[in-house]
Amino acid sequence: MKKRMFYKKDYVKELLKIIRTETDTTKLPKLLSDYHEKDIAEAITLLSENERKQLYPVLGAQKVAEIFSYLDDSEKYIEELPIEKAAKVVSYMDADDALDILDDLTEHKKQELVSHLDEDTRKDVRRLLSYDDDEIGSCMTNNFICISDKLSIREAMSALVRQAGEHDNISTIYVVDKDEKFVGAIDLKDLIIARENDALSDIISRSYPYVCEHEKINDCIDKIADYEEDSLPVLTKEGRIAGILTATDIVELVDDAMGDDYAKLGGLTSEEDLNETTIISMKKRLPWLIILLFLGMGVSSVVGIFESVVAVLPIVICFQSLVLDMAGNVGTQSLAVTIRVLMDENLNTRKKLYLLGKEMRIGFFNGISLGLMALVFLGVYIHFFKKYAWLSAFLISGCVGLSLVVAMVVSSMIGTIVPMFFHKIHVDPAVASGPLITTVNDLVAVVTYYGLAMVFLIDVFHI
């Protein structure tokens, strides 16, 4: 029997064909309604400016607002609209999406657009602007359903239907008491299957997780990710609901946090954007590079102490980079593991000591394996290509192998202890550890390698 293959459809290509070939513009909204706004947004970026300007009036402000929410550089497209139309589109957006667009506009254009917004939207945007960029409140939306805990099941359903006309985040219904304070949440499924005579209080989850409006994003990102809820309420200090974080907001926060941590491990002050100017990117990279310059000078001065070793036995300099690179690689591995483990807020001293011991054991046994390989292969290489006697060749390769073992064990220890120390003193281990550990491991490797070469190869065996 011949198998039928399922071919993935190219929805963007289909949309472009519909938009460009449909002559009856009255049919266009109906045709496009079968497609997701994300695909329509991608198709819009492939249209010419004139094609987009003809399409916007056909779609209407509300549909355009839904589409623009999926654009990464929506300011480019919002500026294609007359100011009154642009204001109407922004007014239909969730407050957080509207703020994202306004942030990307020039100050003059932003003020002009804000002045044309309706009063409710202007109020919501100004409230979000009152939060610092690193506070949870700056990311929340006012698109949610809220009911009183005194309602019956029938009344709760009626309130849901009434509010669903304005708010489409209905999978979780938030519940407040007579003082408008948050008391819990109801899953939409539980409300639907509830009997009319059931008490609303029986289906309220009173231990539902929440975050506070002025909490720092980095301080509660783990809690946000761990609960795996579709949305989380954002509360004021009085316990009232200021807004919510939607599933999309949560994914973006976690993604941004991971991106920033990755950037910090590379010695950047924060994640770089492709569209950033050269000067801004330089400012993010330069601070740690300046610090590392002076640390590197320290490492170089230590190398200078061992000039006598290089003068007597020049071949040792050939394998310096090998020892340094392996020590750096091992330290980076231990650093990555430790930072990941430190995300567990319940990590006690016993677990930290276990992690330290485990990383050092891994470093030791990996060092033994690589050291033996270096002993054999470098010994053969030194004998045949550098013309040293077999004994001298294997003594030199043995020194390299022993240096690898010591350097990898110490680097594993440093790669574990340093981030733990920074975490203990409440300094972000990602931003402080990455570049620092690289330099410290270089110093350890240099001292270990040249120190062993001086003691064993020159002082003991007189090579």
Side-chain angles (χ1 to χ4, degrees):
M1 180 179 177
K2 186 177 180 180
K3 293 184 178 180
R4 296 182 62 185
M5 299 295 292
F6 179 79
Y7 294 98
K8 184 178 179 180
K9 292 185 177 181
D10 189 338
Y11 294 119
V12 174
K13 190 175 181 179
E14 290 181 12
L15 283 163
L16 289 173
K17 183 178 180 181
I18 292 172
I19 294 170
R20 285 170 169 162
T21 60
E22 181 57 54
T23 55
D24 188 351
T25 56
T26 59
K27 294 181 180 179
L28 201 53
K30 173 61 177 174
L31 293 172
L32 298 185
S33 66
D34 293 334
Y35 295 85
H36 195 280
E37 286 77 10
K38 174 69 172 65
D39 296 318
I40 302 175
E42 188 173 346
I44 279 180
T45 64
L46 301 177
L47 297 174
S48 68
E49 183 175 340
N50 287 334
E51 287 175 323
R52 287 194 295 269
K53 287 182 176 180
Q54 293 174 12
L55 180 63
Y56 294 146
V58 175
L59 294 177
Q62 186 170 359
K63 186 67 173 179
V64 171
E66 294 172 0
I67 294 168
F68 277 17
S69 298
Y70 287 94
L71 293 171
D72 293 330
D73 52 350
S74 51
E75 72 281 356
K76 167 186 173 183
Y77 304 98
I78 204 77
E79 290 180 349
E80 295 176 350
L81 296 168
I83 191 66
E84 295 81 6
K85 298 292 185 183
K88 193 171 183 181
V89 168
V90 172
S91 296
Y92 275 115
M93 290 181 168
D94 290 347
D96 55 336
D97 291 329
L99 184 60
D100 288 340
I101 286 183
L102 292 173
D103 282 342
D104 293 329
L105 296 174
T106 62
E107 191 61 33
H108 172 72
K109 189 74 175 180
K110 180 195 297 187
Q111 294 302 327
E112 185 181 13
L113 188 55
V114 169
S115 66
H116 284 79
L117 295 176
D118 62 67
E119 186 57 36
D120 288 340
T121 304
R122 193 182 304 129
K123 181 180 177 182
D124 290 337
V125 168
R126 284 175 177 167
R127 184 177 57 157
L128 291 186
L129 286 171
S130 68
Y131 298 101
D132 293 336
D133 290 341
D134 60 348
E135 291 181 336
I136 283 292
S138 66
C139 310
M140 66 185 184
T141 179
N142 57 351
N143 183 358
F144 65 96
I145 305 292
C146 184
I147 64 173
S148 169
D149 63 344
K150 301 302 181 185
L151 300 181
S152 65
I153 295 294
R154 178 185 288 273
E155 290 170 337
M157 284 296 298
S158 297
L160 169 63
V161 172
R162 184 172 62 255
Q163 294 182 49
E166 297 181 5
H167 307 296
D168 53 12
N169 288 319
I170 64 172
S171 58
T172 302
I173 300 103
Y174 297 99
V175 185
V176 296
D177 61 16
K178 59 183 179 61
D179 298 318
E180 298 295 319
K181 293 185 177 181
F182 175 70
V183 296
I186 298 174
D187 189 283
L188 176 61
K189 180 193 68 175
D190 294 334
L191 182 60
I192 292 174
I193 64 176
R195 301 291 183 180
E196 184 177 348
N197 295 326
D198 291 343
L200 188 69
S201 58
D202 292 340
I203 60 173
I204 297 176
S205 174
R206 298 186 181 275
S207 60
Y208 196 83
Y210 61 87
V211 289
C212 298
E213 58 181 346
H214 292 295
E215 274 190 275
K216 301 298 182 184
I217 294 173
N218 287 338
D219 293 340
C220 54
I221 196 70
D222 294 336
K223 178 169 70 174
I224 291 173
D226 289 344
Y227 275 107
E228 299 181 352
E229 294 291 350
D230 291 335
S231 60
L232 291 176
V234 181
L235 305 187
T236 66
K237 61 182 179 180
E238 292 83 14
R240 296 186 174 90
I241 303 178
I244 68 166
L245 296 178
T246 64
T248 303
D249 297 327
I250 292 171
V251 170
E252 288 179 356
L253 287 175
V254 174
D255 182 60
D256 289 344
M258 291 175 65
D260 278 342
D261 281 347
Y262 182 79
K264 290 169 183 176
L265 283 172
L268 304 177
T269 56
S270 61
E271 188 176 14
E272 286 192 12
D273 189 282
L274 183 64
N275 298 318
E276 285 179 349
T277 63
T278 302
I279 297 298
I280 293 176
S281 295
M282 283 176 58
K283 288 180 179 179
K284 288 183 176 181
R285 302 185 189 194
L286 193 57
W288 266 113
L289 292 178
I290 293 174
I291 295 173
L292 292 178
L293 172 65
F294 289 98
L295 290 175
M297 290 179 183
V299 175
S300 299
S301 65
V302 172
V303 175
I305 297 174
F306 296 100
E307 285 182 2
S308 58
V309 177
V310 177
V312 175
L313 201 60
I315 192 174
V316 296
I317 202 170
C318 297
F319 309 111
Q320 172 186 308
S321 61
L322 171 64
V323 179
L324 264 64
D325 289 346
M326 292 311 301
N329 293 337
V330 169
T332 302
Q333 289 176 341
S334 295
L335 169 64
V337 171
T338 304
I339 289 178
R340 177 65 186 87
V341 172
L342 287 175
M343 293 176 66
D344 182 1
E345 296 295 335
N346 299 318
L347 194 66
N348 54 34
T349 303
R350 181 172 172 272
K351 290 181 179 179
K352 290 179 181 178
L353 290 174
Y354 173 78
L355 174 63
L356 175 61
K358 178 183 176 182
E359 289 300 311
M360 292 181 68
R361 286 196 303 273
I362 293 172
F364 174 74
F365 288 114
N366 282 342
I368 289 290
S369 302
L370 296 175
L372 290 174
M373 293 174 67
L375 171 66
V376 175
F377 290 108
L378 290 183
V380 173
Y381 168 80
I382 294 170
H383 172 70
F384 284 107
F385 293 93
K386 298 299 180 180
K387 308 305 179 183
Y388 278 75
W390 279 111
L391 178 59
S392 297
F394 279 106
L395 284 174
I396 295 171
S397 66
C399 178
V400 175
L402 183 59
S403 298
L404 283 174
V405 176
V406 176
M408 289 174 69
V409 171
V410 176
S411 295
S412 298
M413 179 182 69
I414 293 172
T416 307
I417 289 178
V418 170
M420 285 183 180
F421 169 73
F422 282 124
H423 185 263
K424 182 71 175 178
I425 63 175
H426 305 293
V427 175
D428 189 344
V431 69
S433 300
L436 178 61
I437 283 179
T438 301
T439 307
V440 172
N441 284 341
D442 286 348
L443 182 61
V444 169
V446 164
V447 172
T448 300
Y449 179 48
Y450 284 109
L452 289 174
M454 176 184 289
V455 172
F456 290 103
L457 299 182
I458 297 175
D459 294 344
V460 176
F461 294 103
H462 307 290
I463 296 178

